[in-house]
Amino acid sequence: MPRPSLAVVLAIFSGLAAVFAPLAAAAQQPEAKATFRDWSVFVREVDGDKICFAATEATDKSPKSVNHGDVFFLIATWESGAAKEQPSLMTGYGLNAKPEPTLRIGSDKWEMYTSENEAFIESASEEERLVRAMRKGADMRISAVSQRGTATSYVISLRGVSAALDRAAEECE
C-alpha cells in the first residue's frame, strides 16, 4: 500500500488543526519522514510546536456501494508534551455522535467520540491501552455511522505501526 500523499496529509492535518484551533495559526506543511509497511511518519510545525504523527489509510471500506472519501487513522505526538500518541480516526464524511464509532482489536473494544469527520478516544488511559493493543495486533476494525445514517466499517492494517510510532517519538524528542 502506498503511503498517503502530501495533499492527503494536508487534508488530514487541516482537520486536526480545526480540533486544535489555537495551534492552527502558524502551521506549516507536513514533511514525510519514513514509511514502515502500511504506516507513514510525518512531522509538522504548528505555532512553534513540532507535531509528529504516524498515519495509515483504511485497507477495506464497507459498504462498497458508498463513497467514503479518504479514511485514515492517525497517532499524533506533540514535542511540547501537549499530547502523546493521541489516536484519531478521520473520515471523508460527517460522523454521527450516536451510536459512537467503535474500534476493535481482537476481543478488545473502544468507543470513540466524534467531532464532525473525526473520532477520538475519551481518556488518556484508554488511548494508552489502545496504542498498546495496536502494537501487538494485526489489524483494527472500526464501525461508525455517517450523519446520513449509513452504517460503515473499516479495516486498518497494523503492519508497521510499532516502527512508525517509535520513529514519530524519535522525531519529537
Side-chain angles (χ1 to χ4, degrees), residues 19-100:
V19 172
F20 301 100
L23 298 176
Q28 74 179 179
Q29 293 188 5
E31 177 185 349
K33 292 293 187 175
T35 298
F36 301 93
R37 302 200 59 152
D38 294 333
W39 286 76
S40 295
V41 177
F42 300 89
V43 173
R44 184 175 187 189
E45 286 280 331
V46 178
D47 200 24
D49 196 1
K50 184 164 48 166
I51 302 172
C52 306
F53 64 101
T56 192
E57 189 170 6
T59 57
D60 186 54
K61 303 174 186 178
S62 295
K64 302 286 186 210
S65 60
V66 173
N67 179 3
H68 300 264
D70 294 321
V71 177
F72 288 93
F73 202 84
L74 302 101
I75 303 172
T77 295
W78 276 249
E79 186 177 45
S80 67
K84 182 181 180 203
E85 293 187 341
Q86 180 183 51
S88 63
L89 168 71
M90 182 171 285
T91 61
Y93 58 88
L95 292 164
N96 245 358
K98 298 290 179 184
E100 294 94 353

Side-chain angles (χ1 to χ4, degrees), residues 82-159:
K84 182 181 180 203
E85 293 187 341
Q86 180 183 51
S88 63
L89 168 71
M90 182 171 285
T91 61
Y93 58 88
L95 292 164
N96 245 358
K98 298 290 179 184
E100 294 94 353
T102 303
L103 192 151
R104 294 179 190 276
I105 300 174
S107 61
D108 291 331
K109 176 182 169 184
W110 293 261
E111 289 185 350
M112 304 179 87
Y113 71 92
T114 64
S115 175
E116 298 179 15
N117 68 325
E118 294 177 278
F120 301 91
I121 301 295
E122 186 75 36
S123 73
S125 64
E126 284 300 291
E127 287 178 343
E128 291 169 10
R129 185 172 77 89
L130 171 59
V131 171
R132 279 193 310 271
M134 290 175 72
R135 285 178 176 271
K136 295 176 186 173
D139 63 33
M140 179 167 58
R141 300 186 181 273
I142 302 171
S143 59
V145 176
S146 74
Q147 288 178 341
R148 292 182 176 178
T150 304
T152 59
S153 63
Y154 305 102
V155 176
I156 304 291
S157 169
L158 299 176
R159 295 181 325 151

